[in-house]
Amino acid sequence: MKKSNFLKVSIFIFTLFIGQTYFAQKTKMVGGAEMFPSKNIIENAVNSKDHTTLVAAVKAADLVATLSGDGPFTVFAPVNKAFEMLPEGTVATLLKPENKKQLQTILTYHVVAGKVSAADLIKMIKDNDEKVNIETVSGGTITAWMKDKKVYISDENGGKAVVTIADVNQSNGVIHVIDSVLLPKS
């Protein structure tokens, strides 16, 4: 093999390896599915087996177009088990068309305008005496804080969720997976 061809092949393989390494570092597995930073929040969420209830709720609340939009958004995304912890019948009741406004309020209570990474969130917590209040898209307030190196999000009713997977980057923001549903003050 000529030197120039060997060099071209070597550069091609090196570029391919670097590209794959970079791409692999930027994706995360959520609910058994790879989350691609080139896709938006909805395009990724529909593939997560852990977020089928959330996706159904987003569809029932007519928020698909919003969360597919430019953003950026930070979404604290409760897993299916989080919805199962709500009182029996709550999810079924919220999914009814007559409760769409209430469902929208609950879902947008999990969304913050702008892209807030885990590092940003931790810095905000540390810069604000270990707790920071954050306004949500619904107009409510959530509180972020840390304990034992875990980030917690509290709602206005004293409920709390743990961030179980952070920094799931999206083309229009970031998702942080949480283990409980946050509820705004009624």
Side-chain angles (χ1 to χ4, degrees):
M1 182 184 279
K2 289 183 181 177
K3 271 187 169 181
S4 65
N5 286 341
F6 177 76
L7 183 61
K8 288 177 186 177
V9 170
S10 296
I11 290 172
F12 174 75
I13 290 171
F14 178 75
T15 304
L16 184 62
F17 173 75
I18 293 298
Q20 288 176 336
T21 302
Y22 176 78
F23 190 72
Q25 290 175 347
K26 296 293 182 177
T27 62
K28 290 197 175 191
M29 295 296 287
V30 177
E34 195 167 10
M35 301 288 116
F36 297 96
S38 60
K39 293 185 177 185
N40 68 45
I41 290 166
I42 297 300
E43 290 170 332
N44 274 318
V46 297
N47 295 316
S48 170
K49 293 177 195 165
D50 290 344
H51 291 90
T52 56
T53 304
L54 179 61
V55 169
V58 167
K59 289 177 180 177
D62 286 332
L63 292 172
V64 171
T66 301
L67 293 175
S68 297
D70 292 338
F73 304 107
T74 299
V75 177
F76 294 96
V79 293
N80 294 340
K81 288 182 182 180
F83 285 98
E84 292 168 10
M85 292 188 303
L86 294 172
E88 190 174 335
T90 301
V91 174
T93 299
L94 287 171
L95 292 176
K96 292 180 179 178
E98 62 267 23
N99 296 320
K100 184 165 116 176
K101 182 71 175 152
Q102 182 182 10
L103 182 59
Q104 287 174 335
T105 300
I106 292 169
L107 293 175
T108 57
Y109 188 68
H110 291 79
V111 180
V112 174
K115 183 176 180 180
V116 181
S117 70
D120 295 337
L121 193 56
I122 290 168
K123 182 177 180 343
M124 291 166 56
I125 292 167
K126 289 180 178 181
D127 289 350
N128 288 281
D129 297 324
E130 303 305 317
K131 284 190 178 187
V132 62
N133 292 328
I134 304 167
E135 186 175 340
T136 67
V137 171
S138 73
T141 302
I142 55 175
T143 303
W145 50 285
M146 290 182 68
K147 181 179 178 186
D148 300 327
K149 297 185 180 185
K150 293 181 182 178
V151 174
Y152 289 80
I153 308 296
S154 296
D155 64 26
E156 296 166 324
N157 300 300
K160 65 181 177 186
V162 177
V163 175
T164 58
I165 302 174
D167 290 337
V168 184
N169 290 306
Q170 316 290 299
S171 65
N172 62 344
V174 64
I175 292 174
H176 302 296
V177 177
I178 58 175
D179 67 352
S180 293
V181 175
L182 304 169
L183 297 172
K185 225 173 205 175
S186 334

